[in-house]
Amino acid sequence: MAATLFLILRILWVIALYAFLGWALISIWRALKQQSRALSPAQLPRITIVEAEKSPALSFQKMQILIGRDPACDVCLSDPTVSAQHARLDFHDSQWWVEDLQSTNGTYVNGVDVSQPLVVTNGDDLRIGQIVLRIEL
């Protein structure tokens, strides 16, 4: 009788041990899945930049957009009041940020001087030198 009881207890102990190991592995799997979703790059939203005098809009879907007079810039503005590399639009923290790159004539969002990185939203007017650009998200 004691041997049968001891055998049943051993079997129950093994079942409990395997149940605990299964629970631990499932918990680790779920945590890794959640972490990989949090760290994976999200779909970048499209940003459209419209110059007031020009009809074709420039549309981008990238993390960083450089604005200036230099032909290597993403948005090339041929105006003498625009610096070679005037401003930069960056996407981080799920928002678009504009930063003035120490330009001569400054960068303004809705008339406010951009002295430090500033969040831009849909419909904002971005003045680069004497050129006014509209941001559409």
Side-chain angles (χ1 to χ4, degrees):
M1 179 73 164
T4 308
L5 183 62
F6 187 66
L7 179 64
I8 291 172
L9 286 175
R10 284 176 54 190
I11 291 173
L12 289 176
W13 176 252
V14 169
I15 290 172
L17 182 63
Y18 277 112
F20 174 76
L21 288 175
W23 172 81
L25 288 174
I26 289 172
S27 296
I28 291 170
W29 175 260
R30 286 181 182 163
L32 286 174
K33 243 171 98 171
Q34 182 180 10
Q35 188 70 16
S36 69
R37 265 185 271 143
L39 293 177
S40 67
Q43 179 73 15
L44 281 175
R46 184 169 298 279
I47 184 170
T48 304
I49 301 172
V50 181
E51 190 175 341
E53 294 106 26
K54 293 187 177 178
S55 58
L58 298 172
S59 191
F60 300 95
Q61 195 167 7
K62 54 196 261 185
M63 295 289 286
Q64 190 176 82
I65 300 164
L66 193 59
I67 304 170
R69 200 175 62 236
D70 187 0
C73 291
D74 299 309
V75 179
C76 183
L77 304 170
S78 58
D79 187 82
T81 61
V82 177
S83 298
Q85 292 187 349
H86 198 100
R88 179 176 52 227
L89 287 164
D90 286 311
F91 184 77
H92 57 86
D93 300 329
S94 300
Q95 294 177 320
W96 283 100
W97 296 74
V98 64
E99 179 181 4
D100 184 65
L101 300 176
Q102 299 177 344
S103 62
T104 305
N105 294 316
T107 302
Y108 299 86
V109 174
N110 298 327
V112 177
D113 184 25
V114 178
S115 57
Q116 60 186 6
L118 183 72
V119 175
V120 292
T121 57
N122 189 33
D124 280 349
D125 288 328
L126 180 64
R127 185 163 62 94
I128 306 287
Q130 296 300 318
I131 308 263
V132 176
L133 306 170
R134 189 176 347 102
I135 304 295
E136 295 177 358
L137 303 176

